[in-house]
Amino acid sequence: PHHLLLCDEDIPGLDTNFKMNPPLRSKEDREALIEGLLDGTIDFIATDHAPHTKEEKNTDMKLAPFGIVGLETAFPLLYTHFVKNGAWTLKQLVDFMTSKPCEAFDLPYGTLAPGAPADITLIDLEKEAAIDKDTFLSKVKNTPFNKMKCFGWPVATMAAGKLAYEEGRLVK
């Protein structure tokens, strides 16, 4: 998602939270990625959840490892920046992140039907909150999106019919 939202002009100095692989490119490259999704050249959206510890990222830009937290912020960022502004429909975003990856790799994907496994995430599309790296469930906190306000936050996730996540906490 970060390559759909950021370009090299967004990097504030030598902030290693913006160091990712591939590196951020030009605004034109970002726009081409978006166009590629819409015209079918690019099949789907994936997250590269490649987090690193504060110690690993707290170094010179040349020495810091590539990678950021991606999974916890992907849907709210994309929903806010593409669906809320009318560029994409909610169905397009959901398809880009769910059924299209499954189709590309010939994987089964969920249906809401009696007897089918309940693999589902419930999202509050009206919930607005700022990204807060200190509340991440991931063990690390590196993100270029800290404090950015977004809509569309997950409130619960069921995996194989069992509640796995609810209101900011993992359920065991």
Side-chain angles (χ1 to χ4, degrees):
H2 31 282
H3 290 93
L4 298 170
L5 299 167
L6 299 171
C7 68
D8 55 4
E9 296 172 13
D10 296 316
I11 303 170
L14 298 175
D15 185 343
T16 60
N17 286 311
F18 287 78
K19 186 174 181 183
M20 57 198 71
N21 199 12
L24 293 172
R25 303 293 188 196
S26 71
K27 180 180 177 188
E28 293 78 19
D29 289 327
R30 181 179 56 79
E31 291 169 352
L33 288 174
I34 295 166
E35 184 178 326
L37 270 171
L38 295 175
D39 71 15
T41 303
I42 298 172
D43 296 320
F44 56 85
I45 298 171
T47 64
D48 178 20
H49 186 76
H52 294 279
T53 65
K54 185 177 180 180
E55 293 74 27
E56 289 175 304
K57 284 295 218 177
N58 192 18
T59 188
D60 182 84
M61 181 68 96
K62 291 180 183 176
L63 300 175
F66 293 96
I68 66 169
V69 171
L71 188 60
E72 291 187 60
T73 58
F75 188 88
L77 283 165
L78 294 169
Y79 177 75
T80 299
H81 291 277
F82 293 105
V83 177
K84 284 289 279 184
N85 74 7
W88 301 348
T89 66
L90 178 59
K91 181 178 181 351
Q92 283 176 302
L93 176 57
V94 170
D95 287 350
F96 287 148
M97 296 184 80
T98 61
S99 61
K100 287 184 178 267
C102 290
E103 289 168 3
F105 292 104
D106 198 28
L107 299 170
Y109 54 92
T111 62
L112 292 176
D119 292 328
I120 187 167
T121 298
L122 302 175
I123 297 171
D124 182 345
L125 297 176
E126 297 305 316
K127 180 178 179 180
E128 181 183 25
I131 292 171
D132 181 355
K133 66 181 183 175
D134 294 323
T135 64
F136 285 177
L137 295 177
S138 176
K139 292 180 181 179
V140 294
K141 314 297 179 191
N142 56 302
T143 177
F145 301 109
N146 194 45
K147 300 192 185 323
M148 184 177 285
K149 288 188 178 180
C150 295
F151 289 88
W153 289 92
V155 294
T157 299
M158 292 185 76
K162 294 185 168 79
L163 189 62
Y165 168 87
E166 185 175 39
E167 294 291 341
R169 64 180 179 81
L170 296 175
V171 177
K172 298 194 182 208

